Amino acid sequence: MAILTPEATISWPALFKPKPRDKKKPDSELLYSCALLFSPEQQKDPYFKAMKQEMHKVIVEKFGADVNVKKLKLPFKTAEDIEGFDESWIVINVSSKQQPSVVDLARKPIVEAPSEEGKKVWGGQLVRAYVNPYAWSHETGGRGASFGLNAIQIVGQGERRLDKDRKSTRLNFSHGYISYAVFCLKKK
């Protein structure tokens, strides 16, 4: 089920040319991806709450109602390690094996320009995305939940960001536990 996100700030967009899932292994699976950052105000939006509810549903469907979420890798992380953001912001990484649709505010398709100067999509723009939540189990024993990326709509220009280091969104597991625990507490 595709879910529309509230407005978010896009970072590290790789929407026109896929990148290896693992930078250390250039021959690893190629994915189209980006990070979506949600401000505290955007987290109050009903669309954000729907994202969390649908994610919870797929986790329960895959692992059962009594799953220990502390043992899962979860997509909602705090953005405290990303320059210009603090722990009140939430970041999710979204990806797809298929190129997502990318459109402007008028829903006209965006085709990426060949040069850096002519880029039509950059980190810092305001976007809405269609994402689909899914839970997964890996053959090596890892389990978790993620969001697939279906489409991006540019809804505002925002402040251009120099997205230098993507490592900052790959936070350690405790951040995911804390974020999900906070979500569970806020739900009550």
Side-chain angles (χ1 to χ4, degrees):
M1 169 185 188
I3 302 165
L4 181 62
T5 70
E7 194 172 277
T9 300
I10 192 171
S11 225
W12 302 285
L15 304 174
F16 300 98
K17 183 179 177 190
K19 295 191 175 183
R21 178 186 295 268
D22 184 343
K23 280 199 253 184
K24 294 177 186 170
K25 299 177 184 174
D27 59 340
S28 65
E29 180 178 39
L30 295 177
L31 296 174
Y32 297 91
S33 62
C34 66
L36 300 174
L37 294 120
F38 299 93
S39 71
E41 204 52 42
Q42 292 160 335
Q43 293 169 47
K44 295 174 188 171
D45 188 292
Y47 286 104
F48 191 81
K49 291 176 182 175
M51 287 172 54
K52 289 207 164 192
Q53 289 168 346
E54 290 302 317
M55 180 56 70
H56 182 73
K57 282 182 190 174
V58 299
I59 289 170
V60 170
E61 285 172 14
K62 176 91 174 175
F63 304 117
D66 59 344
V67 65
N68 181 351
V69 295
K70 290 184 180 181
K71 295 193 180 216
L72 299 177
K73 292 183 182 180
L74 301 168
F76 299 97
K77 304 197 180 351
T78 59
E80 65 190 310
D81 294 335
I82 301 173
E83 187 178 323
F85 299 91
D86 63 38
E87 70 277 353
S88 67
W89 285 67
I90 297 290
V91 61
I92 62 169
N93 292 310
V94 295
S95 63
S96 175
K97 294 176 188 176
Q98 309 297 317
Q99 184 173 8
S101 298
V102 183
V103 297
D104 64 15
L105 192 56
R107 295 192 175 123
K108 292 181 183 170
I110 295 175
V111 179
E112 185 66 337
S115 70
E116 191 67 30
E117 299 81 41
K119 269 191 162 185
K120 296 177 184 170
V121 179
W122 64 82
Q125 284 180 306
L126 301 175
V127 302
R128 293 193 76 180
Y130 274 102
V131 297
N132 57 300
Y134 64 94
W136 51 267
S137 295
H138 193 273
E139 59 196 33
T140 60
R143 300 184 329 157
S146 300
F147 283 102
L149 175 61
N150 295 343
I152 292 279
Q153 181 183 26
I154 306 299
V155 296
Q157 294 309 303
E159 186 176 324
R160 189 179 285 260
R161 294 178 43 82
L162 296 175
D163 294 327
K164 300 174 194 164
D165 178 17
R166 188 170 172 109
K167 273 190 203 171
S168 56
T169 64
R170 294 192 182 125
L171 306 173
N172 68 40
F173 295 129
S174 65
H175 287 83
Y177 305 152
I178 293 166
S179 296
Y180 191 75
V182 168
F183 157 65
C184 289
L185 289 172
K186 285 181 179 178
K187 228 170 86 168
K188 293 182 179 183

